[in-house]
Amino acid sequence: MTVSLEQLRRCHLAVDLGAARTRVFVKGAGLVVDEPSAAAVNTRTGALIAVGELAEKMTGRTPDYIRVMRPVSGGTVVDIDMAQRMLRHLIGEKLRRTLRRKPRLRAAACTPHDADPLAQRAAVETLVGLGARRVELVDTLIAAAVGCGLPVERPEATMIIVCGAATTQIAVLSLGSIVTAERIPVGGDAIDHAVVQHLRQHHELMLPSQSVRPLQIALSGNGLTPHGPESTEIHGRDVATGLARSVHVDTAAVRHAIHTPLTAVLDGIGQVLRACPPDLVADVADRGIMMVGGSALLPGFDQMLRDATGVPVHIAERPDICAVLGLGAMLEGKVQPLTLTPVAG
């Protein structure tokens, strides 16, 4: 952890700026914002037209002069000004007035593991632009582990996989710190892309960008597990004619297409375990792996990891908001560090 629990208890709000969704937790009020990290801008005037859910719905449906922007990529703020404007509108005027009354507003933010100094500075400047006098940065892996109730402060191994939209982070934690970790540039977006490419190459069908995730959810009950039906009907646009068309897709082939990019995650797990002391690896084999993040809900992902690693795999109760809930628990003092009495010698 890059900051002490005592410093975090002085913070007033926590922000998790993700590539897919932005979440804000306010001390005493709980989770107040959970919206897509998207903003629609009029390129002629520079005016902000919509943010969050409405901007997400505009993706692929706007005229030329309206552009849907994503100011966060891979957990890193790539457009500070747009991220600030988006956050201001998501938080709302009423809550902003309440926060402005704080004499010295402090904020906490999640940062990906091994984030470079520029990425950390971008996160700090984004929140400073909202009025924060001080910004504390917490590793996403630690925050997510706290948020899903893992005993990170104990001298026992805890393995966690944070499945994000752009990256997947894998770590083994012990005594409140990261023992070893890897960040893999494969996430939910890469899985969506694999589904789109499979349908285009094998069925000459183009899917609307907003239909990929609902398709995966529909397939989870239709055959993305080995015991489901063998085929399912999918609607899209014909590549050659441009007309609407529906095809029957072999769900086993779609499952194979999805699993192909996920092999990088398996390699990452192997690298993390090889870098761990044997005692911690034994703990992981006994206690298993905890999956958090929006992409953890991908049908069949947990079973794939079970089959490949041979250890128990668990999905957190609310995997998509674990990181911001963990930050909130630290802000409200619900996490107690392990106290060690010095030995007199």
Side-chain angles (χ1 to χ4, degrees):
M1 192 183 299
T2 55
V3 64
S4 71
L5 288 171
E6 189 59 41
Q7 290 172 308
L8 283 171
R9 288 194 192 102
R10 297 179 191 152
C11 293
H12 303 99
L13 78 156
V15 179
D16 179 15
L17 277 169
R21 297 185 77 85
T22 293
R23 299 174 176 95
V24 179
F25 184 102
V26 175
K27 186 188 285 187
L31 187 64
V32 295
V33 173
D34 184 3
E35 296 269 351
S37 302
V41 181
N42 186 326
T43 55
R44 293 174 182 170
T45 63
L48 197 61
I49 296 172
V51 295
E53 202 74 52
L54 183 56
E56 179 86 354
K57 290 178 181 176
M58 291 183 181
T59 304
R61 294 185 166 96
T62 59
D64 291 342
Y65 64 92
I66 295 178
R67 184 180 168 204
V68 177
M69 303 179 67
R70 296 189 174 274
V72 185
S73 175
T76 302
V77 178
V78 293
D79 188 335
I80 295 173
D81 179 58
M82 187 54 62
Q84 288 175 353
R85 294 173 70 186
M86 180 185 75
L87 268 175
R88 284 193 200 103
H89 282 79
L90 288 176
I91 290 174
E93 184 60 36
K94 183 179 177 182
L95 185 55
R96 284 213 311 277
R97 281 201 303 268
T98 305
L99 293 174
R100 275 200 294 266
R101 295 193 194 107
K102 308 287 184 186
R104 286 186 62 82
L105 181 64
R106 289 176 175 238
C110 289
T111 55
H113 178 67
D114 276 349
D116 58 69
L118 283 176
Q120 294 179 0
R121 184 177 178 84
V124 170
E125 287 191 8
T126 299
L127 296 184
V128 167
L130 291 177
R133 299 291 185 90
R134 185 181 174 95
V135 179
E136 312 290 359
L137 300 179
V138 179
D139 198 300
T140 302
L141 291 162
I142 299 283
V146 170
C148 59
L150 294 176
V152 291
E153 74 283 354
R154 306 297 304 170
E156 303 163 359
T158 299
M159 189 167 196
I160 187 167
I161 300 179
V162 179
C163 311
T167 59
T168 298
Q169 301 174 68
I170 307 162
V172 171
L173 314 175
S174 181
L175 285 172
S177 298
I178 296 171
V179 179
T180 179
E182 288 286 337
R183 185 154 56 134
I184 313 296
V186 171
D189 292 344
I191 297 164
D192 292 352
H193 181 70
V195 173
V196 170
Q197 288 300 107
H198 171 79
L199 292 173
R200 184 175 185 132
Q201 291 173 5
H202 296 276
H203 299 278
E204 297 183 348
L205 194 75
M206 288 185 68
L207 270 184
S209 59
Q210 296 184 11
S211 298
V212 182
R213 194 49 60 93
L215 166 64
Q216 292 176 6
I217 295 170
L219 285 174
S220 65
N222 266 347
L224 269 190
T225 54
H227 309 293
E230 293 184 359
S231 66
T232 188
E233 189 177 17
I234 294 175
H235 305 280
R237 192 184 80 186
D238 190 282
V239 173
T241 66
L243 301 176
R245 183 163 66 92
S246 61
V247 296
H248 284 274
V249 177
D250 179 12
T251 49
V254 177
R255 186 165 68 244
H256 179 72
I258 285 177
H259 284 188
T260 300
L262 295 180
T263 53
V265 177
L266 297 177
D267 294 340
I269 293 173
Q271 290 174 18
V272 168
L273 291 177
R274 280 193 293 273
C276 265
D279 291 342
L280 294 184
V281 175
D283 284 349
V284 170
D286 183 43
R287 303 179 58 171
I289 301 170
M290 179 65 75
M291 294 177 65
V292 302
S295 300
L297 297 172
L298 187 72
F301 192 8
D302 55 336
Q303 188 59 47
M304 176 190 174
L305 294 184
R306 282 190 202 99
D307 296 340
T309 61
V311 301
V313 177
H314 315 284
I315 299 177
E317 187 176 345
R318 300 187 68 186
D320 50 339
I321 59 172
C322 277
V324 74
L325 290 183
L327 268 183
M330 295 179 198
L331 262 60
E332 295 183 336
K334 295 178 181 177
V335 180
Q336 298 299 324
L338 181 67
T339 54
L340 299 174
T341 306
V343 179

